[in-house]
Amino acid sequence: MTTRSSRLIKSLIILLILSLISLFNVLPILRLDFSTAFLGDDFSFHVERVLALSNIFQSLVNFNTFGHAASLANVFYPWETVYPLHLIYSATSDFIFSYKLFYFLLTLITALLAYWCIFKISKDTFSALCFATLYIFSFYRISNFFIRAALGEVVSMTFLPLVLLGLYYILFENFKKWRILTIGMALIGYSHALSLFFTSAFVLIAAVVMTGFIDAKTKRLMSLLKAGFWAILLCSPYLVLVANTSSKNDLYMIWTQPLKGLPLWQWLSNSLSNQMYPNPDVRSSLGASVVLALVIALIIFVLFKRARTPFNTFCLFSGMGSMLLTSSIFPWALANQTLFSKIQFVWRLNTYTSLLILVSFSLLLGTVIPKASVTLKPILLLGLTVALIISSSSSLTTFAKNKAEKTQRDPDIAKTVRNVFYGDYAPKQVTNQKNLQQVLQKRYFLNGRPIQPSVKYTDSVYTIKATNKTGQEATLKVPAFWYSCQTVTVNNQPAPSRISAAGTTLLNIPNGKSTITISYDYPKLLLVFILIAVLSLIFLCMSSLYVRNAVGRYFSVEKQ
């Protein structure tokens, strides 16, 4: 058997193993009543986000979602990495089935990336399989999907191993492979804005801390700067659109609350018992698997000197540091009323704590198990998988039984949630209930007097037919939010519009009958940055050492 054939067979076996493990990870949503685990504000919000993608290439807003109010959710929430869910739904017309299938595919991709990244670091199949299994079953990831329905955060966790691998190359190994960090950061940027903020901070802090411990400092830091520069170019369409929209509109961004960490004893209790409900503070739980992995990793680190590699040390202590940041030890009160308050919950750091501790555990375990243990490793991996399946299923079943709002599964959930309105990224006036009700109750006013015009919605265009009987030009107030990107026509002619005191749209119409259309267009400047991003991606692919080496290896094998 040739080397190439044996590699192909091994790859297929790994793919089969990770596919089965991913399927076991998804089993709870196949078995549990869907609505018991999902129906809530966050889930409805993300359903609408996905539905609104039907016209994402034509318009900034979708009038047939978010209560016809013109929400900018898909401007501020990156949508590119959840677009496959929209495609699946478009093909099946069953959102619940589509959501389950998307989660399975996402979990499989997460497992494959996790395996590949750790295998590139350790060259050990067992360590890579161990990490892939632990990572997709990590308690915070499962809670994000099943309980919080934090779709953007779950998707971003898929690409974090790429970021860690890129950081490993830049700080500890071949710094010329900085492109992996670039791609990882770009994929996170197109998944979840807050995760991009957190991950950028993590990379910068790691670089600063490790500067005193690495060789070739200048070259490594230059590679880090290159990775960051190209990541910004790849993400520039999203970043420019957000910056442009924010600068031209006074928006209510996101709900915030005082930041606080849990006492360590409470955090430990929540984690070891895999608590999900009912106290919101239990969301800071890491889960028993991560805590036990940390304990075992510390024992191995202390007892086995050969396990104390620079990268293992970095992962272990960075994970512990991230864990302590989520506790009450850190003075989070000082961060309130600052930019950091936008993170909403300190337990978002559990993403990084889980990643680092599980990587450390998997690498350390791989160094102490003899390579000749052909039977021991499969037994350990099987036992680990079974334990994680039992643990996660038990926690989710308990949550489902205790959850207060038990609604039967709604097969038409996509239709049900279309009219649910969320105020995030609407004009700031939405915080006033009187203003909000004008939008929700669809109140139209002509020169301050209520009227009932004929209205029609398509995904991209809002059409109003109104009659002005005042004998002169009059001001029409429309219950759709005004943004600077708005385009209005009156009787097929472009017309100016302005913002009302309620954050809605004001425009003038002539005497008699008028047909008004409202739409929201992308800024023309965005096309320039889309081109920049595409050209940057092409350049990175063409200049990649990995691609050149792979091509070279392929032809050398063919010659043999």
Side-chain angles (χ1 to χ4, degrees):
M1 184 179 294
T2 64
T3 302
R4 188 178 175 188
S5 298
S6 61
R7 284 180 180 174
L8 178 60
I9 291 172
K10 180 183 177 181
S11 298
L12 290 174
I13 292 173
I14 296 298
L15 176 61
L16 178 61
I17 291 172
L18 293 178
S19 298
L20 289 173
I21 294 173
S22 299
L23 180 60
F24 283 122
N25 181 266
V26 178
L27 280 179
I29 65 168
L30 302 179
R31 184 169 58 86
L32 293 175
D33 174 67
F34 186 87
S35 63
T36 303
F38 289 102
L39 284 186
D41 287 345
D42 283 343
F43 177 64
S44 298
F45 174 78
H46 288 293
V47 172
E48 292 201 81
R49 273 188 62 211
V50 174
L51 297 177
L53 294 177
S54 60
N55 68 326
I56 194 64
F57 298 107
Q58 289 81 41
S59 174
L60 286 167
V61 308
N62 187 308
F63 285 110
N64 284 316
T65 58
F66 296 105
H68 308 295
S71 170
L72 291 178
N74 279 327
V75 171
F76 290 87
Y77 269 82
W79 54 267
E80 289 79 2
T81 49
V82 298
Y83 194 73
L85 173 55
H86 168 73
L87 294 178
I88 297 171
Y89 171 66
S90 298
T92 64
S93 300
D94 185 336
F95 193 89
I96 293 175
F97 170 79
S98 303
Y99 200 64
K100 292 177 179 181
L101 178 58
F102 177 74
Y103 180 60
F104 169 72
L105 296 174
L106 184 69
T107 300
L108 178 57
I109 293 170
T110 304
L112 291 170
L113 284 177
Y115 170 86
W116 181 75
C117 291
I118 298 307
F119 184 78
K120 298 297 289 185
I121 294 170
S122 66
K123 304 299 186 291
D124 181 57
T125 301
F126 172 74
S127 291
L129 283 172
C130 182
F131 172 68
T133 304
L134 283 164
Y135 190 59
I136 63 172
F137 275 96
S138 59
F139 193 75
Y140 185 64
R141 180 178 181 274
I142 290 174
S143 298
N144 264 343
F145 186 80
F146 290 94
I147 310 306
R148 295 183 57 225
L151 188 60
E153 206 165 343
V154 173
V155 174
S156 72
M157 290 184 74
T158 299
F159 308 113
L160 273 179
L162 278 176
V163 171
L164 191 61
L165 176 62
L167 200 58
Y168 163 77
Y169 279 131
I170 291 175
L171 297 180
F172 299 95
E173 220 253 359
N174 185 356
F175 54 81
K176 294 181 180 179
K177 296 182 178 180
W178 52 265
R179 292 168 183 79
I180 292 176
L181 178 60
T182 296
I183 298 300
M185 292 296 296
L187 287 169
I188 288 175
Y190 284 113
S191 302
H192 190 233
L194 278 177
S195 294
L196 178 62
F197 171 79
F198 273 114
T199 307
S200 301
F202 165 69
V203 169
L204 290 173
I205 293 171
V208 171
V209 171
M210 295 306 298
T211 298
F213 303 94
I214 58 177
D215 61 351
K217 291 181 178 59
T218 302
K219 292 181 178 179
R220 294 189 185 279
L221 293 178
M222 284 300 297
S223 291
L224 188 67
L225 290 175
K226 285 181 188 177
F229 172 76
W230 287 99
I232 290 172
L233 289 184
L234 291 178
C235 292
S236 59
Y238 167 69
L239 298 174
V240 167
L241 183 59
V242 168
N244 180 73
T245 307
S246 301
S247 64
K248 294 184 177 181
N249 301 273
D250 193 12
L251 304 175
Y252 169 73
M253 299 305 286
I254 54 174
W255 166 78
T256 59
Q257 65 173 10
L259 300 175
K260 65 175 182 176
L262 282 183
L264 280 175
W265 65 267
Q266 189 177 350
W267 165 85
L268 184 62
S269 174
N270 290 343
S271 297
L272 289 176
S273 56
N274 284 344
Q275 287 193 45
M276 291 182 174
Y277 187 85
N279 188 340
D281 283 341
V282 304
R283 292 173 180 168
S284 63
S285 170
L286 277 173
S289 61
V290 177
V291 175
L292 294 175
L294 173 60
V295 172
I296 296 171
L298 282 170
I299 293 172
I300 295 173
F301 188 84
V302 171
L303 295 181
F304 297 91
K305 187 176 181 179
R306 68 177 184 275
R308 300 172 205 163
T309 66
F311 185 67
N312 289 352
T313 304
F314 165 77
C315 289
L316 181 60
F317 288 97
S318 296
M320 292 173 62
S322 177
M323 179 190 74
L324 292 174
L325 280 177
T326 63
S327 73
S328 56
I329 293 175
F330 188 81
W332 280 106
L334 298 177
N336 291 324
Q337 309 304 319
T338 69
L339 176 65
F340 289 97
S341 65
K342 301 296 183 184
I343 68 176
Q344 297 176 309
F345 316 108
V346 300
W347 36 260
R348 290 188 190 275
L349 288 169
N350 285 347
T351 298
Y352 306 89
T353 305
S354 301
L355 172 77
L356 293 164
I357 289 176
L358 294 177
V359 165
S360 174
F361 168 78
S362 302
L363 294 175
L364 289 167
L365 190 63
T367 61
V368 299
I369 295 180
K371 294 187 181 296
S373 303
V374 179
T375 57
L376 178 59
K377 291 180 179 179
I379 292 172
L380 284 175
L381 186 63
L382 179 61
L384 177 66
T385 305
V386 171
L388 289 170
I389 292 170
I390 293 172
S391 176
S392 62
S393 297
S394 174
S395 299
L396 289 165
T397 301
T398 301
F399 170 82
K401 289 179 179 177
N402 293 336
K403 192 168 172 34
E405 57 272 24
K406 289 191 175 182
T407 309
Q408 292 300 311
R409 166 181 164 157
D410 184 352
D412 297 320
I413 195 168
K415 296 178 181 179
T416 305
V417 303
R418 277 187 182 274
N419 290 318
V420 179
F421 172 74
Y422 294 88
D424 293 357
Y425 313 112
K428 275 192 174 178
Q429 292 89 336
V430 77
T431 55
N432 181 292
Q433 272 299 313
K434 181 180 178 181
N435 294 339
L436 177 59
Q437 290 306 312
Q438 289 184 24
V439 176
L440 298 183
Q441 297 177 13
K442 303 299 176 220
R443 298 177 187 169
Y444 296 80
F445 296 90
L446 188 66
N447 281 353
R449 294 185 176 182
I451 62 169
Q452 290 295 328
S454 170
V455 299
K456 178 184 176 181
Y457 302 99
T458 65
D459 286 352
S460 302
V461 181
Y462 179 8
T463 303
I464 306 162
K465 293 184 177 181
T467 302
N468 174 15
K469 298 180 179 180
T470 64
Q472 58 186 354
E473 187 176 76
T475 299
L476 178 66
K477 186 177 183 181
V478 179
F481 291 123
W482 182 91
Y483 306 114
S484 62
C485 55
Q486 187 181 77
T487 298
V488 174
T489 68
V490 177
N491 298 326
N492 296 318
Q493 297 298 315
S497 64
R498 58 197 183 277
I499 191 169
S500 73
T504 53
T505 300
L506 288 177
L507 56 102
N508 294 335
I509 60 173
N511 187 54
K513 294 182 178 181
S514 295
T515 299
I516 304 105
T517 66
I518 298 176
S519 59
Y520 299 86
D521 303 317
Y522 288 98
K524 291 182 174 58
L525 181 65
L526 187 63
L527 289 174
V528 175
F529 287 93
I530 291 174
L531 180 61
I532 289 173
V534 171
L535 292 176
S536 299
L537 181 60
I538 293 172
F539 172 82
L540 286 172
C541 292
M542 297 298 292
S543 65
S544 171
L545 284 172
Y546 179 79
V547 171
R548 294 207 300 265
N549 291 338
V551 172
R553 285 196 301 270
Y554 174 82
F555 284 109
S556 65
V557 171
E558 286 292 306
K559 289 178 182 179
Q560 293 174 7

